[in-house]
Amino acid sequence: MIIALSGGVGGAKLALGLSRVLPPEELLVVVNTGDDFEHLGLSISPDIDTVAYTLAGLANREVGWGRHDETWSFMETIEGLGGETWFRLGDRDLALHVERTRRLRRGESLSAVTEDLCRRMGILQRIVPMSDDPVRTRLLTEEGWIDFQDYFVRRRCEPVVKELRFHGAETAQPHPTFMAALADPALQGVVICPSNPFISVEPILAIPGVRDALVACKAPVIAVSPIIAGRAVKGPTAKMMTELGLDPSAGTVAHRYADLLDGYVIDNADMAEVVSIDARVTLAQTLMTTMEDRETLARTVLDAAAVLRRRK
Ligand code: FO1
């Protein structure tokens, strides 16, 4: 069994690759919920939806989030009514948010709603939120503290980031399915997907007990670098690293994960970084353009995990 820690579009790509090379029951995707927010009276969980739509084959392939079979009547109409349209909600995507909000309001947990909605979308893999308790990423910029989606979507990542906080993380419980899987003797590896370490992975690691459980985990922990040749494949990772005073390199990300990593997969372009990384490094093509790229990278990660298991 493999656990994949995922957030954002990059994480979903590798989760898809893993879903195509593993039996469904052997993949558990643990998803960041720090990007979640309340908007237009709806509870929205973008990283859960991005992974779910991707595994269900419903995702918009150009942008990676939302659905490909979308219409926009709701957005057009709410604009005419003076409502907020900066966060694009397609008509079909909207139905998911309305139904999830209804069930959360009835007292169901985020993971229970996610499990049922994913099943209804035909997804056979398990997708669980990192926690059923609320965790919200906020960013300190020159304008003060702003919420994640304000930063990421409304402001298009323009504000300079000085600090990040994951509100609620310190009192959140890691999801029990996640913790049980980390202790499961059948676990063969934990994959930290090529997501933005600050906004997609560190909220997961910030939950009490998670880092310790990963360090104690008998199975190897392998991360895939989200940086290729000093640039992020997508999103503000490199910009954030520079603003936080960090060198935007694959090596820097490895150092942030530090004691967690047994293995690290970096792009062929970053061969020179190998010497600065403690973990066992695998060079690969980490840019995933085609489905074959996703599957090949997934196999490379699983092979690296197999080698590390033999060494443990
Ligand atoms: N990202 C954008 O850049 N613009 C949007 O309008 C937008 C809408 C949206 C709707 C649903 C959803 O699940 C995701 C959406 N995203 C949008 C992406 C989202 O902000 C990011 O995927 C994550 O929060 C960060 O990875």
Side-chain angles (χ1 to χ4, degrees), residues 8 35 46-47 49 65 86-89 93 148-149 152-153:
D35 298 2
D47 283 357
D49 295 350
W65 49 264
W86 56 271
F87 193 79
R88 312 295 300 154
L89 292 170
D93 188 37
F148 179 79
Q149 295 299 344
F152 191 85
V153 179

Side-chain angles (χ1 to χ4, degrees), residues 6-58:
S6 178
V9 172
K13 284 184 174 179
L14 183 57
L16 180 59
L18 290 166
S19 77
R20 305 238 332 173
V21 300
L22 288 168
E25 66 281 359
E26 289 189 19
L27 178 59
L28 169 66
V29 186
V30 175
V31 189
N32 167 51
T33 58
D35 298 2
D36 292 11
F37 73 137
E38 306 302 307
H39 183 59
L40 305 181
L42 298 169
S43 296
I44 297 178
S45 298
D47 283 357
I48 289 177
D49 295 350
T50 297
V51 170
Y53 285 151
T54 300
L55 294 193
L58 290 172

Side-chain angles (χ1 to χ4, degrees), residues 98-126:
V98 168
E99 180 55 9
R100 171 171 34 225
T101 301
R102 182 186 69 81
R103 293 179 60 171
L104 290 174
R105 293 231 172 99
R106 263 187 12 193
E108 285 190 68
S109 68
L110 180 58
S111 53
V113 176
T114 300
E115 181 180 11
D116 185 57
L117 295 179
C118 285
R119 185 177 48 77
R120 291 170 185 272
M121 285 191 266
I123 298 166
L124 300 175
Q125 293 77 15
R126 286 179 298 165

Side-chain angles (χ1 to χ4, degrees), residues 83-242:
E84 291 184 87
T85 58
W86 56 271
F87 193 79
R88 312 295 300 154
L89 292 170
D91 299 331
R92 290 186 169 79
D93 188 37
L94 179 62
L96 173 60
H97 305 306
V98 168
E99 180 55 9
R100 171 171 34 225
T101 301
R102 182 186 69 81
R103 293 179 60 171
L104 290 174
R105 293 231 172 99
R106 263 187 12 193
E108 285 190 68
S109 68
L110 180 58
S111 53
V113 176
T114 300
E115 181 180 11
D116 185 57
L117 295 179
C118 285
R119 185 177 48 77
R120 291 170 185 272
M121 285 191 266
I123 298 166
L124 300 175
Q125 293 77 15
R126 286 179 298 165
I127 298 174
V128 292
M130 64 194 194
S131 171
D132 276 329
D133 302 315
V135 177
R136 296 289 179 268
T137 299
R138 305 196 75 220
L139 303 97
L140 179 60
T141 70
E142 64 274 8
E143 301 159 23
W145 287 96
I146 58 176
D147 291 338
F148 179 79
Q149 295 299 344
D150 271 358
Y151 164 77
F152 191 85
V153 179
R154 205 161 56 81
R155 302 297 309 281
R156 281 190 279 282
C157 307
E158 281 151 12
V160 172
V161 176
K162 299 176 168 54
E163 192 183 336
L164 290 101
R165 285 225 187 111
F166 311 125
H167 281 263
E170 63 285 348
T171 52
Q173 294 293 319
H175 196 278
T177 300
F178 176 26
M179 291 295 102
L182 284 175
D184 187 330
L187 181 65
Q188 296 183 307
V190 179
V191 179
I192 301 181
C193 291
S195 307
N196 180 316
F198 308 100
I199 59 179
S200 297
V201 180
E202 290 185 4
I204 303 176
L205 305 180
I207 296 174
V210 171
R211 260 191 179 273
D212 293 346
L214 282 166
V215 171
C217 182
K218 297 267 183 299
V221 177
I222 299 185
V224 177
S225 174
I227 298 277
I228 299 177
R231 291 170 50 77
V233 175
K234 180 181 174 59
T237 307
K239 176 177 181 287
M240 262 186 195
M241 291 176 89
T242 305

